[in-house]
Structure formats: C-alpha cells, structure tokens
Amino acid sequence: MKVKAYGKVNIVLDIIGKREDGYHLLRMIMQTVNIYDELTFNKGAEGIHITSNKEFVPTDNKNLVYKAIELFCHTYGIKREMEVHIEKNIPVEAGMAGGSTDAAAALRAMRDIYKPNVSNEELRLLGVKLGADVPYCIEGGTALCEGIGEVITHLKDFKDKLMVVVKPNFGISTVDTYKGFKLNEVKVHPDVEGVIKAMARMMLNM
C-alpha cells in the first residue's frame, strides 16, 4: 500500500497559555499543502522495519512512523510485522508537520490494512499520544486547531490558492522554539477570527 502524507502550513499561530505539563495552548489555522512524503507499507518479517531515501531520517523506534505502528498494534492486539519505506519530500524543521503527517499516514494505513471499522475519531485519540499535530494530519484540509492542537474545528475549504513555500538551508527545532517563547512578553495577538472571515470572503469571490 502506498500512502501520501501531506504537509501543512500555519496560516495563523497564536500562543495563548501554557499547561502544567509544559505544552503550550494554541489557536492555529492550519492548511494542507500539496507537498507530501510517500510511504510504502508491506507486511514483512516480524517486527517494524523502516527505510528512507534520506539518511537523516531515523529508522529505529525514534521514528514517529515506528511509534505509530507500535501504538496501533498494541492498542488492537495486532502482530508487529510491517516494513515501511519513507520517501521524504517535506522539508524538516520547517513547521510543516513532516514527522506528524507521516505518523498520521501510518495510522491510516494500519487502519485500512487491519481494522477498517476504526473511525477517524479513534485514530485522532491515538494520534495525540504521538504529537499535537498528528490529529490534524489525520483529517487535513482547512481547520482551526485549539488546545495543544487536538481540538479541531473544520473551516470552509481554502483551496485552489497558490502558495510559495520558502525553506532556507537551516531549520528551527519546534521544541527549542517553544522553550524560548516568553508568553508574558507578548503584547499583541493575531486576529484569528478576522483571518477566518477574510479567508471565507476570498473563497466567495472566486
């Protein structure tokens, strides 16, 4: 089975608080883009085996695809016997959910191969254990994501728009970025509702 794992961009990202466990509370408008990794799944020898076209992609249990398959197998009592090749195209350390969308693709593929009656809601509940962006990546599209990213409200599709994605030759760690963020110094927050209305107007005028 081949699965496309689409990247995303944050049209708006607002940090509004911080939980006791260290996770930041967010309000984000997320949008799927047509840049994707391609994952190939084959039932293979016992265990979970990951390969990739990029040397920097981990192929052990640090990989989110590995963790997603392991979590799915543990949850539903399935024998671990999966080989996955990750054709990596989404830029890393670019805020485009490259690891999270691969994990979401793995959960969807495992569902389709083993447990077709598992709902997207069940997959989202599994996905949030892997990362805050994974539930959104299971759904994709245009959405307002709140909480730590797991509370998803679908918005009017913002599609057929051209977007230029520029990735410099360096990356920014999401963990380090949030660690360095000082919420008490933020004086102005983005107008999330205003952006939602502006996007809806743009789609009406197409």
Side-chain angles (χ1 to χ4, degrees):
M1 174 182 288
K2 284 190 176 182
V3 179
K4 290 180 179 178
Y6 288 90
K8 60 85 179 172
V9 293
N10 291 80
I11 295 177
V12 173
L13 192 159
D14 188 16
I15 301 176
I16 61 173
K18 191 174 183 180
R19 304 196 318 189
E20 291 184 1
D21 61 5
Y23 277 98
H24 287 80
L25 296 171
L26 310 168
R27 298 194 77 215
M28 306 175 286
I29 301 174
M30 289 189 177
Q31 175 62 51
T32 302
V33 294
N34 195 29
I35 301 174
Y36 57 85
D37 296 341
E38 191 167 53
L39 282 67
T40 304
F41 296 83
N42 289 295
K43 286 186 181 180
E46 185 173 351
I48 302 168
H49 305 278
I50 309 288
T51 58
S52 178
N53 65 319
K54 301 292 187 182
E55 292 183 1
F56 59 77
V57 174
T59 56
D60 56 10
N61 59 6
K62 294 178 182 178
N63 189 295
L64 278 179
V65 171
Y66 188 108
K67 292 179 180 180
I69 294 171
E70 191 170 52
L71 177 62
F72 192 96
C73 289
H74 175 77
T75 302
Y76 296 106
I78 295 167
K79 185 178 179 181
R80 303 188 314 164
E81 49 179 11
M82 188 59 63
E83 297 176 353
V84 186
H85 180 73
I86 304 171
E87 193 72 19
K88 196 72 180 165
N89 299 304
I90 299 172
V92 297
E93 293 189 332
M96 297 186 69
S100 295
T101 194
D102 289 352
L107 291 175
R108 293 196 309 269
M110 293 296 289
R111 187 252 315 265
D112 293 345
I113 294 169
Y114 291 104
K115 292 283 184 179
N117 292 326
V118 171
S119 67
N120 274 8
E121 182 179 359
E122 289 178 79
L123 287 188
R124 291 198 304 270
L125 290 174
L126 288 181
V128 76
K129 298 178 181 179
L130 300 167
D133 283 346
V134 178
Y136 164 77
C137 291
I138 289 168
E139 297 286 342
T142 310
L144 172 67
C145 300
E146 300 175 281
I148 62 172
E150 85 286 9
V151 182
I152 301 170
T153 304
H154 290 283
L155 302 174
K156 183 177 179 59
D157 284 340
F158 192 65
K159 59 185 180 180
D160 301 324
K161 298 293 184 183
L162 294 177
M163 180 179 296
V164 178
V165 177
V166 179
K167 170 63 170 68
N169 59 358
F170 60 87
I172 300 174
S173 163
T174 300
V175 173
D176 291 343
T177 300
Y178 280 117
K179 280 183 178 179
F181 183 79
K182 296 182 174 70
L183 182 61
N184 61 325
E185 295 182 4
V186 176
K187 305 302 180 185
V188 180
H189 289 266
D191 182 3
V192 176
E193 282 73 22
V195 173
I196 292 172
K197 291 177 182 177
M199 291 166 61
R201 285 197 300 270
M202 288 181 68
M203 296 309 297
L204 284 174
N205 293 330
M206 284 185 63

mmCIF file of all heavy atoms in Angstrom, residues 5 25 31 36 38 63 78 87 104 113-114 120 125 140-141 145 147 156 163 186:
data_model
loop_
_atom_site.group_PDB
_atom_site.id
_atom_site.type_symbol
_atom_site.label_atom_id
_atom_site.label_comp_id
_atom_site.label_asym_id
_atom_site.label_seq_id
_atom_site.Cartn_x
_atom_site.Cartn_y
_atom_site.Cartn_z
ATOM 1 N N ALA A 5 1.478 11.428 2.450
ATOM 2 C CA ALA A 5 1.396 12.138 3.726
ATOM 3 C C ALA A 5 1.649 13.614 3.437
ATOM 4 O O ALA A 5 2.791 14.034 3.233
ATOM 5 C CB ALA A 5 2.429 11.581 4.704
ATOM 6 N N LEU A 25 -0.789 26.188 25.011
ATOM 7 C CA LEU A 25 -2.152 26.245 24.497
ATOM 8 C C LEU A 25 -2.162 27.159 23.273
ATOM 9 O O LEU A 25 -1.634 28.271 23.325
ATOM 10 C CB LEU A 25 -3.101 26.770 25.575
ATOM 11 C CG LEU A 25 -3.220 25.870 26.819
ATOM 12 C CD1 LEU A 25 -3.998 26.573 27.912
ATOM 13 C CD2 LEU A 25 -3.875 24.542 26.457
ATOM 14 N N GLN A 31 -3.510 24.569 7.271
ATOM 15 C CA GLN A 31 -3.913 24.308 5.890
ATOM 16 C C GLN A 31 -2.999 23.261 5.265
ATOM 17 O O GLN A 31 -1.780 23.399 5.288
ATOM 18 C CB GLN A 31 -3.857 25.600 5.068
ATOM 19 C CG GLN A 31 -4.144 25.425 3.590
ATOM 20 C CD GLN A 31 -5.549 24.900 3.337
ATOM 21 O OE1 GLN A 31 -6.514 25.460 3.856
ATOM 22 N NE2 GLN A 31 -5.678 23.840 2.548
ATOM 23 N N TYR A 36 4.260 16.536 -0.218
ATOM 24 C CA TYR A 36 3.971 15.332 0.555
ATOM 25 C C TYR A 36 5.123 14.334 0.534
ATOM 26 O O TYR A 36 5.928 14.282 -0.399
ATOM 27 C CB TYR A 36 2.697 14.647 0.034
ATOM 28 C CG TYR A 36 2.736 14.269 -1.430
ATOM 29 C CD1 TYR A 36 3.297 13.066 -1.858
ATOM 30 C CD2 TYR A 36 2.202 15.122 -2.390
ATOM 31 C CE1 TYR A 36 3.329 12.732 -3.193
ATOM 32 C CE2 TYR A 36 2.227 14.799 -3.733
ATOM 33 C CZ TYR A 36 2.787 13.592 -4.122
ATOM 34 O OH TYR A 36 2.819 13.266 -5.460
ATOM 35 N N GLU A 38 5.829 10.170 0.638
ATOM 36 C CA GLU A 38 5.110 8.978 0.181
ATOM 37 C C GLU A 38 5.620 7.777 0.963
ATOM 38 O O GLU A 38 6.823 7.506 0.992
ATOM 39 C CB GLU A 38 5.292 8.763 -1.314
ATOM 40 C CG GLU A 38 4.354 7.698 -1.872
ATOM 41 C CD GLU A 38 4.317 7.696 -3.395
ATOM 42 O OE1 GLU A 38 5.404 7.613 -3.994
ATOM 43 O OE2 GLU A 38 3.222 7.775 -3.971
ATOM 44 N N ASN A 63 11.600 7.005 15.314
ATOM 45 C CA ASN A 63 10.801 7.482 14.190
ATOM 46 C C ASN A 63 9.312 7.450 14.567
ATOM 47 O O ASN A 63 8.820 6.466 15.123
ATOM 48 C CB ASN A 63 11.053 6.598 12.969
ATOM 49 C CG ASN A 63 10.431 7.145 11.711
ATOM 50 O OD1 ASN A 63 9.220 7.234 11.606
ATOM 51 N ND2 ASN A 63 11.268 7.528 10.755
ATOM 52 N N ILE A 78 -2.451 -6.488 17.481
ATOM 53 C CA ILE A 78 -2.004 -6.937 16.157
ATOM 54 C C ILE A 78 -0.517 -7.270 16.220
ATOM 55 O O ILE A 78 0.263 -6.565 16.863
ATOM 56 C CB ILE A 78 -2.260 -5.835 15.108
ATOM 57 C CG1 ILE A 78 -3.766 -5.614 14.958
ATOM 58 C CG2 ILE A 78 -1.641 -6.194 13.759
ATOM 59 C CD1 ILE A 78 -4.123 -4.368 14.203
ATOM 60 N N GLU A 87 9.583 7.907 1.540
ATOM 61 C CA GLU A 87 10.159 8.784 0.518
ATOM 62 C C GLU A 87 9.937 10.211 0.991
ATOM 63 O O GLU A 87 8.828 10.746 0.925
ATOM 64 C CB GLU A 87 9.485 8.539 -0.833
ATOM 65 C CG GLU A 87 10.205 9.147 -2.013
ATOM 66 C CD GLU A 87 11.497 8.430 -2.383
ATOM 67 O OE1 GLU A 87 11.689 7.266 -1.980
ATOM 68 O OE2 GLU A 87 12.314 9.050 -3.106
ATOM 69 N N ALA A 104 0.551 10.116 11.028
ATOM 70 C CA ALA A 104 -0.878 10.047 10.699
ATOM 71 C C ALA A 104 -1.124 9.099 9.529
ATOM 72 O O ALA A 104 -2.079 8.313 9.544
ATOM 73 C CB ALA A 104 -1.397 11.447 10.367
ATOM 74 N N ILE A 113 -5.445 -1.546 6.530
ATOM 75 C CA ILE A 113 -4.948 -2.916 6.341
ATOM 76 C C ILE A 113 -5.580 -3.890 7.332
ATOM 77 O O ILE A 113 -5.966 -5.002 6.963
ATOM 78 C CB ILE A 113 -3.412 -2.946 6.470
ATOM 79 C CG1 ILE A 113 -2.764 -2.160 5.319
ATOM 80 C CG2 ILE A 113 -2.886 -4.382 6.496
ATOM 81 C CD1 ILE A 113 -1.278 -1.908 5.504
ATOM 82 N N TYR A 114 -5.723 -3.451 8.596
ATOM 83 C CA TYR A 114 -6.107 -4.387 9.657
ATOM 84 C C TYR A 114 -7.485 -4.152 10.263
ATOM 85 O O TYR A 114 -8.174 -5.100 10.634
ATOM 86 C CB TYR A 114 -5.081 -4.330 10.794
ATOM 87 C CG TYR A 114 -3.730 -4.879 10.440
ATOM 88 C CD1 TYR A 114 -2.658 -4.035 10.185
ATOM 89 C CD2 TYR A 114 -3.500 -6.258 10.369
ATOM 90 C CE1 TYR A 114 -1.402 -4.534 9.868
ATOM 91 C CE2 TYR A 114 -2.250 -6.769 10.060
ATOM 92 C CZ TYR A 114 -1.197 -5.899 9.808
ATOM 93 O OH TYR A 114 0.043 -6.393 9.494
ATOM 94 N N ASN A 120 -12.077 7.835 12.303
ATOM 95 C CA ASN A 120 -11.075 8.897 12.380
ATOM 96 C C ASN A 120 -10.952 9.436 13.806
ATOM 97 O O ASN A 120 -9.873 9.841 14.238
ATOM 98 C CB ASN A 120 -11.432 10.039 11.424
ATOM 99 C CG ASN A 120 -10.912 9.791 10.014
ATOM 100 O OD1 ASN A 120 -10.407 8.719 9.701
ATOM 101 N ND2 ASN A 120 -11.047 10.781 9.163
ATOM 102 N N LEU A 125 -7.527 10.089 18.667
ATOM 103 C CA LEU A 125 -7.220 9.838 20.083
ATOM 104 C C LEU A 125 -5.882 9.102 20.223
ATOM 105 O O LEU A 125 -5.131 9.347 21.171
ATOM 106 C CB LEU A 125 -8.348 9.022 20.733
ATOM 107 C CG LEU A 125 -9.680 9.763 20.917
ATOM 108 C CD1 LEU A 125 -10.753 8.814 21.428
ATOM 109 C CD2 LEU A 125 -9.512 10.938 21.863
ATOM 110 N N GLY A 140 -6.619 16.674 7.950
ATOM 111 C CA GLY A 140 -6.177 17.540 6.872
ATOM 112 C C GLY A 140 -7.196 18.619 6.538
ATOM 113 O O GLY A 140 -8.152 18.854 7.270
ATOM 114 N N GLY A 141 -6.965 19.332 5.433
ATOM 115 C CA GLY A 141 -7.882 20.370 4.995
ATOM 116 C C GLY A 141 -7.612 21.706 5.656
ATOM 117 O O GLY A 141 -6.480 22.029 6.017
ATOM 118 N N CYS A 145 -7.361 24.820 14.901
ATOM 119 C CA CYS A 145 -6.898 23.834 15.873
ATOM 120 C C CYS A 145 -6.595 24.548 17.191
ATOM 121 O O CYS A 145 -5.848 25.532 17.207
ATOM 122 C CB CYS A 145 -5.658 23.112 15.363
ATOM 123 S SG CYS A 145 -5.940 22.215 13.817
ATOM 124 N N GLY A 147 -6.448 24.073 21.866
ATOM 125 C CA GLY A 147 -5.853 23.227 22.887
ATOM 126 C C GLY A 147 -4.361 23.140 22.630
ATOM 127 O O GLY A 147 -3.680 24.150 22.450
ATOM 128 N N LYS A 156 -14.314 26.468 6.244
ATOM 129 C CA LYS A 156 -14.599 26.426 4.802
ATOM 130 C C LYS A 156 -13.292 26.178 4.065
ATOM 131 O O LYS A 156 -12.276 26.815 4.345
ATOM 132 C CB LYS A 156 -15.216 27.742 4.349
ATOM 133 C CG LYS A 156 -15.614 27.775 2.885
ATOM 134 C CD LYS A 156 -16.286 29.074 2.527
ATOM 135 C CE LYS A 156 -16.661 29.124 1.043
ATOM 136 N NZ LYS A 156 -17.572 28.049 0.635
ATOM 137 N N MET A 163 0.536 29.121 -3.275
ATOM 138 C CA MET A 163 1.337 29.460 -2.110
ATOM 139 C C MET A 163 2.793 29.127 -2.408
ATOM 140 O O MET A 163 3.089 28.046 -2.932
ATOM 141 C CB MET A 163 0.861 28.673 -0.882
ATOM 142 C CG MET A 163 1.631 28.956 0.387
ATOM 143 S SD MET A 163 0.993 28.014 1.781
ATOM 144 C CE MET A 163 -0.659 28.691 1.921
ATOM 145 N N VAL A 186 4.370 38.953 25.291
ATOM 146 C CA VAL A 186 3.541 39.155 24.099
ATOM 147 C C VAL A 186 2.482 40.218 24.387
ATOM 148 O O VAL A 186 1.692 40.073 25.323
ATOM 149 C CB VAL A 186 2.868 37.835 23.669
ATOM 150 C CG1 VAL A 186 1.934 38.077 22.489
ATOM 151 C CG2 VAL A 186 3.918 36.796 23.306
#
